[in-house]
């Protein structure tokens, strides 16, 4: 592997981690609300949230460009107000990875929250607990396995994102070239040994992440 | 001290609208009222309705003051009602051990409802769960789980305790002792109890008043001897 490949692997891990943290921060309250407080229009929110799962990644990437591109409304706003340009920047790779991995976390988190028996939460309320305490002490511990599994799936998906990342962040060596893009380059250039090394690293990280998700959790797992 | 629970003009709006039409009044000086009736009569639903667990337009009052509404006339959140509930299937939190379950209200409830540590110790001794405190919930027998469930509910210092067959998993000898402990503790703490049970001996031993429910309606009430 070249020095650029090591940079690509580190960038991939950083992008996947940042995307996963973003997805958990945004997805957890939405998943909780939809699971626990059903409302008219929840189905639409679920459909939009899970759309990146069924769309071709390049379509997701194109739509992100339409929203966050330098000529797009949101893109212009971010650039003018905060000087933030997502396109051809590592932050664009984070955005692309977050959007494509969001459904995997969201579906898992929603299902985990919905599986927590309402009766446990009501019992805690009857004992004088606030909604905040019910969430932290009952709902979250009882759904933590599903949340961790969803987070890991999202991380692995973010780590391997290709199409949407390429569309939004491009393939700039040392800046936006992730391991998945470096693997594509190695394959196109016929550098089999380099490609195999990247496959081994990406595969090992994915297997380690899945093993981590499957570990028993001492407190909280049912 | 006179104790009164009023549940009147009650219609459950939750899943079976209009089915329940109740006007229940706990007669004065009755600390324990038994709620009896055939399976499916709505006993558990009535307990949930009194606790505020189910959405309804019921009027629930204890000693003349409303449990269902706060002073400004808004719906009282469950946590502020001062109602405890002991469930038939105990509902102990599976991710917590016995001590954390028993102390749950002490740790996390609003400060004014927290029980002093020495009173909690006395409560655990009273219900014979001291030797269980270090155990995991899934290592307990059915009877032990129900004892822990009773302690957990009482540790929240309710003014009204709703019990849904609270000793059904306990053997007959242990049941008598446990109910005697429950009776002495609720008398000491001035807690009003409404208890669902099918055991006539239990009713005669504990209850001063009986509500007989069928199909969501009160069909008889009075002293145990007059109703059973």
């Amino acid at each position: 592997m070249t020095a650029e490949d090591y940079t690509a692997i580190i960038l991939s891990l950083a992008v996947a981690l940042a995307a996963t943290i973003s997805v958990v921060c945004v997805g957890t309250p939405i998943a909780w609300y939809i699971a626990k407080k059903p409302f008219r229009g929840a189905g639409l929110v679920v459909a939009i949230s899970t759309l990146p799962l069924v769309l071709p990644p390049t379509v997701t990437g194109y739509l992100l460009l339409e929203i966050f591109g330098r000529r797009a409304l949101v893109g212009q706003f971010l650039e003018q107000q905060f000087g933030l340009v997502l396109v051809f920047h590592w932050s664009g790779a984070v955005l692309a990875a977050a959007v494509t991995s969001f459904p995997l976390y969201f579906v898992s988190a929603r299902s985990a929250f919905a599986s927590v028996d309402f009766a446990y939460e009501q019992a805690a309320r009857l004992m004088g607990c606030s909604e905040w305490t019910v969430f932290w002490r009952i709902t979250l511990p009882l759904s933590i396995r599903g949340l961790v599994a969803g987070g890991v799936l999202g991380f692995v998906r973010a780590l391997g994102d290709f199409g949407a990342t390429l569309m939004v962040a491009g393939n700039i060596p040392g800046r936006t070239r992730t391991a998945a893009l470096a693997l594509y380059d190695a394959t196109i250039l016929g550098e089999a040994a380099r490609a195999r090394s990247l496959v081994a690293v990406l595969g090992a990280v994915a297997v380690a992440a899945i093993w981590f998700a499957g570990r028993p959790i001492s407190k909280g797992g049912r | 001290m006179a104790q009164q629970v009023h549940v009147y003009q009650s219609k459950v709006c939750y899943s079976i609208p209009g089915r329940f039409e109740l006007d229940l009044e706990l007669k004065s000086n009755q600390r324990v009222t038994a709620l009896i009736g055939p399976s499916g009569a709505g006993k558990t639903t009535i307990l949930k309705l009194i606790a505020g667990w189910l959405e309804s337009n019921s009027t629930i009052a204890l000693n003349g003051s409303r449990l269902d509404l706060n002073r400004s006339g808004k719906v009282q959140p469950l946590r502020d009602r001062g109602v405890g509930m002991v469930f038939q299937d105990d509902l102990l939190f599976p991710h917590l051990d016995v001590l954390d379950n028993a102390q749950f209200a002490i740790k996390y409830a609003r400060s004014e409802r927290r029980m002093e540590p020495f009173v909690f110790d006395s409560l655990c001794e009273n219900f014979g769960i001291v030797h269980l405190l270090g155990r995991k919930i899934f290592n307990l027998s059915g009877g032990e789980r129900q004892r822990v469930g009773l302690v957990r509910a009482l540790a929240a210092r309710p003014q009204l305790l709703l019990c849904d067959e609270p000793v059904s998993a306990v053997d007959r000898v242990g049941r008598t002792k446990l109910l005697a402990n429950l009776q002495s503790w609720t008398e000491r703490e001035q807690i009003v109890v409404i208890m669902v049970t099918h055991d006539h001996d239990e009713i005669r031993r504990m209850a001063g008043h009986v509500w007989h429910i069928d199909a969501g309606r009160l069909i008889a009430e009075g002293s145990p001897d007059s109703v059973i």
Side-chain angles (χ1 to χ4, degrees):
Chain A
M1 283 199 299
T2 64
E4 267 182 20
D5 291 337
Y6 286 111
T7 307
I9 289 167
I10 291 167
L11 180 68
S12 278
L13 291 171
V15 163
L17 191 63
T20 306
I21 291 169
S22 312
V23 162
V24 169
C25 291
V26 175
T28 304
I30 299 174
W32 175 84
Y33 198 87
I34 286 177
K36 295 292 177 186
K37 317 266 181 193
F39 60 95
R40 193 186 288 266
L44 186 65
V45 176
V46 171
I48 292 169
S49 301
T50 50
L51 205 55
L53 201 61
V54 290
L55 282 177
T58 44
V59 173
T60 304
Y62 180 81
L63 292 173
L64 288 174
L65 281 177
E66 286 286 329
I67 299 167
F68 295 99
R70 297 189 75 168
R71 291 180 192 166
L73 203 64
V74 178
Q76 279 183 350
F77 172 79
L78 290 175
E79 188 171 355
Q80 285 164 9
Q81 296 297 317
F82 307 106
L84 186 62
V85 179
L86 297 173
V87 179
F88 297 119
H89 189 260
W90 67 267
S91 56
V94 173
L95 175 71
V99 169
T100 52
S101 62
F102 185 84
L104 288 168
Y105 178 75
F106 173 74
V107 168
S108 184
R110 181 179 160 230
S111 165
F113 284 137
S115 71
V116 175
D117 192 341
F118 177 65
Y120 288 127
E121 295 165 326
Q122 288 288 69
R125 290 185 186 105
L126 277 174
M127 282 184 271
C129 294
S130 65
E131 290 302 310
W132 196 240
T133 305
V134 170
F135 175 78
W136 284 107
R137 300 295 171 188
I138 303 296
T139 313
L140 191 64
L142 290 177
S143 54
I144 194 70
R145 288 200 71 134
L147 299 184
V148 170
V152 169
L153 284 174
F155 176 81
V156 175
R157 176 69 185 81
L159 188 70
D161 184 62
F162 181 86
T165 303
L166 184 65
M167 294 285 282
V168 178
N171 184 11
I172 307 167
R175 285 179 59 196
T176 65
R177 179 178 287 172
T178 58
L181 295 170
L183 173 60
Y184 174 75
D185 278 358
T187 308
I188 291 296
L189 295 172
E191 296 173 355
R194 205 182 129 212
R196 282 193 205 107
S197 301
L198 285 163
V199 166
V201 171
L202 286 173
V205 173
V207 168
I210 296 295
W211 169 81
F212 176 78
R215 281 184 326 149
I217 295 169
S218 58
K219 272 200 165 189
R222 272 198 284 179
Chain B
M1 181 184 162
Q3 301 285 349
Q4 288 187 310
V5 175
H6 287 187
V7 183
Y8 56 91
Q9 294 179 345
S10 172
K11 286 180 182 171
V12 175
C13 305
Y14 186 62
S15 59
I16 36 179
R19 184 181 159 193
F20 284 83
E21 287 174 17
L22 297 167
D23 188 350
L24 308 177
E25 184 180 342
L26 195 71
K27 300 301 179 190
S28 300
N29 298 317
Q30 301 305 333
R31 172 105 31 227
V32 180
T33 295
L35 183 57
I36 63 170
S39 294
K43 302 183 295 292
T44 301
T45 305
I46 288 169
L47 293 190
K48 287 182 174 177
L49 193 148
I50 294 170
W53 184 301
L54 301 180
E55 198 178 309
S56 77
N57 58 359
S58 312
T59 301
I60 319 283
L62 177 65
N63 295 332
S65 65
R66 296 281 290 263
L67 292 179
D68 53 333
L69 298 177
N70 61 21
R71 283 176 190 170
S72 54
K74 291 182 178 168
V75 174
Q76 186 83 290
L78 259 62
R79 67 173 177 147
D80 295 325
R81 292 190 178 212
V83 177
M85 197 160 171
V86 181
F87 307 91
Q88 194 174 4
D89 48 357
D90 68 63
L91 285 180
L92 296 179
F93 303 132
H95 58 297
L96 301 177
D97 62 18
V98 173
L99 179 63
D100 286 340
N101 262 283
Q103 282 191 324
F104 193 82
I106 295 173
K107 281 184 170 176
Y108 304 119
R110 293 159 72 98
S111 56
E112 64 267 23
R113 281 182 68 176
R114 287 183 189 165
M115 181 176 270
E116 295 81 359
F118 72 93
V119 182
F120 176 73
D121 292 344
S122 163
L123 179 64
C124 292
E125 272 177 35
N126 214 311
F127 284 86
I129 68 158
V130 174
H131 67 292
L132 304 175
L133 291 176
R135 303 250 297 262
K136 299 284 184 193
I137 290 300
F138 52 79
N139 286 333
L140 302 182
S141 69
E144 288 170 337
R145 292 177 70 104
Q146 287 194 322
R147 281 174 14 217
V148 174
L150 274 166
V151 169
R152 187 179 71 167
L154 290 167
R157 305 184 72 176
Q159 52 180 331
L160 172 63
L161 182 67
L162 308 171
C163 300
D164 192 356
E165 301 192 47
V167 292
S168 57
V170 182
D171 61 76
R172 184 152 283 280
V173 178
R175 191 182 292 190
T176 306
K177 191 179 170 197
L178 190 54
L179 287 174
N181 290 341
L182 176 64
Q183 198 163 17
S184 68
W185 189 271
T186 52
E187 275 176 18
R188 172 183 147 177
E189 297 291 317
Q190 300 273 301
I191 300 168
V192 180
V193 179
I194 299 174
M195 186 168 77
V196 171
T197 178
H198 295 288
D199 190 316
H200 291 183
D201 289 340
E202 278 173 21
I203 296 168
R204 288 197 176 91
R205 203 177 308 125
M206 283 196 71
H209 194 76
V210 178
W211 289 331
H212 190 181
I213 305 289
D214 197 5
R217 284 179 170 77
L218 183 69
I219 57 170
E221 68 171 322
S223 65
D225 288 331
S226 66
V227 175
I228 297 171

